[in-house]
Amino acid sequence: MMERLDQTPVHSAPQVIRREDYTPPDFRVDRIDLHVDIREGETIVTSTLSVIGRPGRDKYAPLVLDGQNQELIYLKIDGEDVPPCKYTVGEERMTVEEVGDRATVEIRTRIHPETNTALEGLYRSGSMYCTQCEPEGFRRITYFVDRPDNMALFTTTIEADKGSCPVLLSNGNPVGAGDLPGGRHWAKWEDPFRKPAYLFALVAGNLVPVTDKFVTASGRTVDLRIYVEQGNEDKCAHAMDSLKRSMRWDEEVFGLEYDLDIFMIVAVGDFNMGAMENKGLNIFNVKYVLAKPDTATDTDYQLIEGIIAHEYFHNWTGNRVTCRDWFQLSLKEGLTVFRDQEFSADMNARSVKRIQDVRALRAAQFPEDAGPMAHPVRPDSYIEINNFYTATVYEKGAEVVRMYHTLLGAEGFRKGMDLYFQRHDGDAVTCEDFCLAMEDANGADLSQFRRWYEQAGTPQVKASGHYDADARTYTLTIEQSTAPTPGQPDKQPLLLPMAMGLVGKRSKADLPLQLDGENATHGTERVLRVTAARQVFTFVDVDEEPVPSLFRGFSAPVKLDAGQGEEDLAFLMAHDSDEFNRWEAGQALARKLLLGMVADRADGRAMAVPDSFVAAFRRVLTDGEAAPAFRAQALALPSEGDIGEAMRTIDVDGIHAAREHLRRHLAGKLKAELRATYDSMAVPGVQLDGAAIGKRALRNLCLGYLAGLDADGLALAEAQFDSAEVMTDSVAALVCLSDSTDAAGDRALATFHQRWRHDPLVMDKWFSIQAMAKRPDTLARVKALMGDPSFSVKNPNKVRSLLGAFAAGNPVRFHAADGSGYRFIADQVIALDPMNPQVAARLFSPFARWRRFDEARQALLKAEIERVLATPKLSKDVYEVASKSVA
Ligand code: B3K
Ligand code: ZN
């Protein structure tokens, strides 16, 4: 059978969409009555639209409906066939002339979900049919005004074979169902809430529900259902529990209650991303629903909790109040990430959650902000909007929301949220509307703060201090600057909320804070507003020389250089009252040391590790007072990516060598302590509470150091692998074993494969562990793994776990000096692009950083980018990333 390749081809230069060009549509769809008739091989969609013209539009303005990848069967207006001279159908839209102020438009089209490999619109995943419409997938189902400011009332009737698709779902409430001749049946759903088409969803398949109930604060009972394929019912308890806790949390913290009688989640095997917040019918990647202790790691459990919460929270921040246009994406995503971060912080250890989030921001967003795809939290233009679901829009966007919270306080923030909902419930609005609600609710002036939405790039902050013992003053000078980014050569100073304290060198305690001109002290921690390019703060009545602790809790997303030497960093690591900054000081200390070691190696000097560093590390390792989860974070060295970010030219091999050297050095010096900690952190049986998770994290961190050192360590890993009762322990041991070329590695991988080859999610782990292995023959092994029966290039989870893990998670092998890693991944991008442009563009994204490497690597990377660019019929997705990379 011929494969229908599902993509939008790029002819000449694709169109750039600009934020400043926003205009409301000439016609909007007020109601849509959708009938979807699913049959093997083709689906017939009949849609009846109530269309309303905008008063004041140009009287000759045609009705323009977005639509692609479908075949028009008929078009009627007010019950009459439209003559062909009155309309045109192009590759991306249909244009109808002479449509009056109000019209009923009936359109029937044919689509082919079975051959839809882009996984946008209606597609088939295994035996089920499902949809993904954000941002522009609905136009692959039917012709529509497919933009978020068109909020319509939806009624959906689904018809399908009853045997293969007994479950038929859509948004809202079920209002009818029945049997049809020929073994078929139908179900009708009505969504009482207006919504943009990107929130539409439909599912038809052979699924079973896991059910529960939730009683809202006002006493309404909500049916909760998680639909999974048969056999997975025993893996839904954690997702369901996370859902109920999210619902309660949103009531308690934000006063937001769920608004329908039913809330459904469907778990799907083939999905381009994590999950989708469709109204009342969230669709999830199976990876973020299914979990049992023997198949999912502690990290998986935490991700499930966070993503279930995230999608649920969108019901208010995204669905009830949505975005006017896609440039406002962070309005819903930044805000909802902030909300899920706060939820997880309340459910788990707050400072550890903050550390994890900041690590993730530094790993993904800082490099983005420093590269050719850098864009503001509210972008100004795009070619393909799917490329802008970025760490900047999501994670930096969440930092921007967090800064409102820091500046206005929890109460002020809540007042702003209340006003935002009061003003905009049911509307499609902008980031500016959110900012105005925060300002008006608090009587605040946030004019300068708005620059966070406008300016791309990570601000660089330099801090220096001077203590005058005679005057008992401490002068703190803060300088900020932001490097140019594409299209933004000049940057203005930003408003930076700086949470800070001064830690007395003698007392080792936070000192009272009083600024010059104030007549009283203001506690021992406060949030200063940094607004100028250079600003001086003078503290008075400072009794002893302090070490400043700045940007506590990472109160602004900046790169801080406080010019602190080893002594001050070690001091803060031990005595800062802010746990986040204790961790941060340790990371800064390790980064400083590692950068020095990389430079030594490059200059042909031996790499040396001072005893003071080993001592600082030992203190944390053996600190029985600190929580194990925190110690695990504090003892994890900065990642290779993190170290590279701090270098002008990233020395891939040098960083890897230095980090490995430091790991082995620490393991050698602290073998006994690591082993003792490993033993004392044992968790018997299957325990999933926070304390057990923290212990496992610390224990497996110790195992990592020990296994990298010698045969004893490897034997310990093998013993743990053989006796592991939970997936976290099994995976941690397998990572150690597969890094080494010892035969034990292959033995363990074979055992794991044998045991789990029928579980696709566990096989994803098996693939990514091998793709990220440090052993030198990793590329050859990745190539061979593409032939494993469990691998499929059509399944995004598999592509991410094997190819994505290699390209983005194994710097030293991806950046092999001979260019073999580059060639391999570029080949895969070219092969994948016609099938799934979104996944191809993601896989390609590490190439965008090519300018950060040495000349030889730059040339190799650039040649591959150019080869990709020269590929005929490249998608807009890959074209945009590739062309901007070499611009
Ligand atoms: N809103 C979706 C993301 C859609 C991505 C489309 N490429 C999931 C989320 O952020 O909650
Ligand atoms: Zn989201």
Side-chain angles (χ1 to χ4, degrees):
M1 194 181 81
M2 242 207 25
E3 182 95 309
R4 242 177 70 108
L5 297 182
D6 212 345
Q7 68 166 137
T8 310
V10 172
H11 310 290
S12 57
Q15 200 196 344
V16 177
I17 319 283
R18 292 178 204 287
R19 184 166 60 85
E20 63 193 22
D21 292 344
Y22 174 85
T23 47
D26 288 321
F27 288 88
R28 69 181 178 83
V29 180
D30 187 53
R31 290 171 167 270
I32 167 168
D33 190 2
L34 202 57
H35 185 279
V36 182
D37 183 3
I38 300 175
R39 289 167 194 268
E40 187 66 45
E42 68 170 30
T43 291
I44 305 294
V45 182
T46 311
S47 125
T48 309
L49 312 175
S50 308
V51 164
I52 302 179
R54 179 170 50 83
R57 72 185 185 282
D58 178 339
K59 66 177 180 189
Y60 297 111
L63 166 68
V64 180
L65 298 174
D66 306 292
Q68 60 191 52
N69 297 69
Q70 57 197 293
E71 184 191 323
L72 180 65
I73 300 174
Y74 69 69
L75 166 67
K76 293 182 182 181
I77 293 194
D78 298 329
E80 303 282 325
D81 281 327
V82 180
C85 62
K86 290 273 170 62
Y87 72 95
T88 53
V89 178
E91 287 212 353
E92 298 197 356
R93 60 192 61 83
M94 165 198 288
T95 308
V96 193
E97 307 294 337
E98 295 172 32
V99 177
D101 287 343
R102 280 175 184 269
T104 303
V105 179
E106 191 183 325
I107 303 169
R108 178 168 292 176
T109 55
R110 178 180 289 115
I111 54 175
H112 300 275
E114 291 81 2
T115 51
N116 177 352
T117 54
L119 314 185
E120 283 181 285
L122 178 65
Y123 64 94
R124 189 162 175 159
S125 173
S127 63
M128 81 174 93
Y129 292 84
C130 66
T131 54
Q132 170 54 36
C133 292
E134 187 180 358
E136 296 180 336
F138 192 71
R139 62 187 63 183
R140 291 165 176 256
I141 299 175
T142 187
Y143 286 93
F144 198 73
V145 180
D146 189 9
R147 36 188 284 171
D149 57 353
N150 189 121
M151 299 181 82
L153 287 170
F154 280 69
T155 311
T156 307
T157 308
I158 312 164
E159 212 184 294
D161 178 65
K162 195 171 181 176
S164 54
C165 295
V167 171
L168 306 174
L169 310 173
S170 191
N171 319 87
N173 301 310
V175 291
D179 286 337
L180 293 165
R184 296 176 60 78
H185 72 148
W186 64 276
K188 186 170 180 181
W189 293 79
E190 207 173 77
D191 188 347
F193 291 93
R194 282 181 184 280
K195 64 169 179 290
Y198 83 84
L199 290 172
F200 170 79
L202 172 165
V203 170
N206 191 359
L207 299 159
V208 279
V210 171
T211 61
D212 208 329
K213 293 214 178 306
F214 180 82
V215 180
T216 67
S218 68
R220 282 183 312 104
T221 301
V222 182
D223 265 334
L224 307 179
R225 298 192 197 160
I226 300 182
Y227 285 92
V228 292
E229 279 180 349
Q230 207 143 31
N232 282 330
E233 301 91 314
D234 61 340
K235 295 185 186 155
C236 299
H238 178 62
M240 186 65 90
D241 181 53
S242 303
L243 174 61
K244 288 191 285 182
R245 283 184 286 113
S246 308
M247 295 177 88
R248 190 62 74 214
W249 185 90
D250 220 12
E251 292 180 345
E252 287 171 3
V253 178
F254 286 107
L256 298 172
E257 221 177 88
Y258 186 62
D259 52 10
L260 285 165
D261 298 335
I262 173 167
F263 185 83
M264 298 173 283
I265 288 175
V266 177
V268 178
D270 300 284
F271 208 61
N272 279 346
M273 65 269 175
M276 178 64 212
E277 70 263 25
N278 317 297
K279 183 78 189 188
L281 177 55
N282 288 0
I283 297 185
F284 268 66
N285 188 325
V286 281
K287 180 171 165 57
Y288 299 114
V289 176
L290 305 180
K292 272 199 312 194
D294 58 339
T295 62
T297 62
D298 293 339
T299 305
D300 293 328
Y301 271 76
Q302 288 173 342
L303 285 169
I304 290 170
E305 176 180 87
I307 296 176
I308 292 270
H310 179 97
E311 306 310 332
Y312 173 72
F313 295 155
H314 267 315
N315 190 52
W316 279 94
T317 50
N319 302 3
R320 292 285 289 252
V321 183
T322 194
C323 302
R324 186 192 71 172
D325 54 72
W326 291 121
F327 296 104
Q328 319 297 329
L329 183 57
S330 199
L331 172 77
K332 74 177 178 80
E333 295 304 346
L335 177 54
T336 306
V337 171
F338 169 74
R339 278 152 52 68
D340 84 56
Q341 289 178 346
E342 284 300 290
F343 166 74
S344 294
D346 282 347
M347 298 296 128
N348 304 284
R350 180 163 279 273
S351 64
V352 171
K353 172 65 179 154
R354 188 68 185 133
I355 290 167
Q356 290 167 336
D357 291 338
V358 172
R359 266 194 208 280
L361 185 83
R362 285 191 175 134
Q365 202 278 325
F366 280 18
E368 192 167 271
D369 241 351
M373 287 290 289
H375 54 276
V377 161
R378 184 187 58 206
D380 292 317
S381 68
Y382 60 77
I383 290 175
E384 170 53 65
I385 184 58
N386 274 307
N387 284 329
F388 287 79
Y389 286 74
T390 57
T392 300
V393 166
Y394 276 66
E395 276 75 30
K396 186 175 179 180
E399 294 301 323
V400 171
V401 175
R402 183 175 296 280
M403 288 189 284
Y404 285 108
H405 192 271
T406 306
L407 288 165
L408 303 171
E411 247 175 67
F413 186 80
R414 170 68 194 266
K415 278 198 245 160
M417 289 287 279
D418 289 350
L419 184 60
Y420 174 66
F421 292 119
Q422 193 187 312
R423 283 181 178 171
H424 303 299
D425 187 12
D427 290 346
V429 303
T430 63
C431 298
E432 175 61 19
D433 292 317
F434 183 80
C435 191
L436 278 169
M438 286 289 155
E439 272 183 328
D440 294 349
N442 290 281
D445 174 4
L446 295 169
S447 352
Q448 190 186 4
F449 187 77
R450 284 174 172 76
R451 286 187 189 143
W452 280 105
Y453 290 100
E454 295 159 11
Q455 268 185 200
T458 309
Q460 177 77 48
V461 175
K462 270 175 109 75
S464 55
H466 172 71
Y467 180 63
D468 184 333
D470 297 332
R472 293 167 61 238
T473 59
Y474 182 76
T475 319
L476 181 64
T477 305
I478 304 286
E479 289 168 278
Q480 59 160 312
S481 62
T482 305
T485 53
Q488 292 189 336
D490 302 310
K491 307 283 184 177
Q492 303 297 312
L494 293 155
L495 167 55
L496 312 176
M498 182 172 73
M500 55 81 65
L502 297 177
V503 191
K505 277 195 177 174
R506 182 171 39 76
S507 61
K508 303 183 173 51
D510 282 354
L511 306 176
L513 300 173
Q514 182 175 353
L515 283 171
D516 194 14
E518 292 174 343
N519 47 20
T521 60
H522 290 266
T524 54
E525 177 173 302
R526 58 195 287 181
V527 178
L528 299 179
R529 289 177 172 228
V530 178
T531 55
R534 182 172 187 280
Q535 207 162 334
V536 179
F537 297 93
T538 306
F539 295 89
V540 296
D541 285 339
V542 185
D543 282 338
E544 54 176 308
E545 184 173 3
V547 179
S549 166
L550 306 177
F551 294 99
R552 283 184 164 171
F554 200 68
S555 63
V558 300
K559 288 187 183 174
L560 173 66
D561 172 10
Q564 285 165 323
E566 276 162 39
E567 206 179 308
D568 283 354
L569 291 172
F571 176 85
L572 290 176
M573 217 176 140
H575 305 297
D576 200 319
S577 64
D578 183 66
E579 197 162 45
F580 178 88
N581 266 12
R582 280 212 298 283
W583 169 79
E584 183 78 310
Q587 293 291 299
L589 192 62
R591 205 178 294 123
K592 216 176 158 74
L593 169 62
L594 283 160
L595 289 169
M597 289 168 67
V598 175
D600 284 344
R601 181 180 176 275
D603 295 342
R605 288 189 297 271
M607 294 188 283
V609 182
D611 288 344
S612 59
F613 187 82
V614 179
F617 193 95
R618 178 188 285 114
R619 266 199 301 281
V620 180
L621 179 62
T622 56
D623 178 2
E625 302 279 284
F630 174 76
R631 280 148 73 196
Q633 291 293 342
L635 298 173
L637 298 177
S639 69
E640 293 183 11
D642 184 329
I643 306 160
E645 261 317 284
M647 300 182 71
R648 186 180 296 271
T649 300
I650 301 175
D651 176 356
V652 188
D653 297 318
I655 293 170
H656 184 68
R659 196 169 179 280
E660 288 303 299
H661 180 82
L662 179 56
R663 280 174 62 80
R664 267 193 302 277
H665 185 87
L666 290 166
K669 293 277 181 195
L670 301 170
K671 187 172 171 178
E673 290 91 333
L674 284 163
R675 181 59 208 248
T677 310
Y678 177 86
D679 291 336
S680 69
M681 290 294 137
V683 180
V686 178
Q687 298 180 41
L688 296 174
D689 56 292
I693 293 174
K695 283 182 168 182
R696 274 195 289 274
L698 181 54
R699 185 169 202 253
N700 286 322
L701 176 115
C702 294
L703 180 68
Y705 278 98
L706 292 165
L709 180 67
D710 57 21
D712 293 348
L714 268 186
L716 190 65
E718 202 172 8
Q720 173 166 320
F721 181 77
D722 290 339
S723 64
E725 290 182 83
V726 294
M727 184 51 87
T728 304
D729 289 339
S730 181
V731 158
L734 191 58
V735 166
C736 300
L737 293 166
S738 52
D739 272 345
S740 95
T741 47
D742 189 281
D746 283 339
R747 272 202 307 275
L749 284 164
T751 309
F752 195 88
H753 184 266
Q754 179 61 26
R755 171 146 188 226
W756 296 114
R757 65 182 193 280
H758 299 301
D759 188 323
L761 288 177
V762 184
M763 287 311 289
D764 289 346
K765 301 181 194 305
W766 186 75
F767 284 117
S768 56
I769 289 169
Q770 295 180 78
M772 294 199 287
K774 293 173 187 168
R775 48 187 294 169
D777 58 349
T778 290
L779 175 58
R781 292 165 67 100
V782 169
K783 286 182 179 171
L785 284 168
M786 286 185 73
D788 188 278
S790 303
F791 184 81
S792 162
V793 79
K794 290 198 178 145
N795 175 250
N797 285 357
K798 292 286 170 290
V799 172
R800 283 186 285 260
S801 60
L802 186 63
L803 307 176
F806 177 78
N810 199 342
V812 73
R813 300 297 160 226
F814 173 62
H815 292 284
D818 63 0
S820 52
Y822 304 153
R823 212 156 35 246
F824 170 66
I825 293 297
D827 283 344
Q828 302 314 315
V829 169
I830 291 168
L832 194 56
D833 190 48
M835 272 182 259
N836 190 329
Q838 263 183 68
V839 174
R842 287 276 154 146
L843 180 61
F844 186 65
S845 56
F847 284 89
R849 306 186 61 217
W850 66 283
R851 284 202 171 84
R852 300 296 317 280
F853 299 90
D854 56 74
E855 271 178 34
R857 285 186 172 89
Q858 280 193 24
L860 291 165
L861 281 159
K862 186 159 182 244
E864 294 302 332
I865 298 172
E866 280 164 353
R867 182 161 72 91
V868 168
L869 261 181
T871 309
K873 292 193 174 166
L874 201 61
S875 66
K876 283 194 219 177
D877 308 58
V878 174
Y879 171 82
E880 180 169 37
V881 183
S883 60
K884 287 185 175 171
S885 298
V886 288

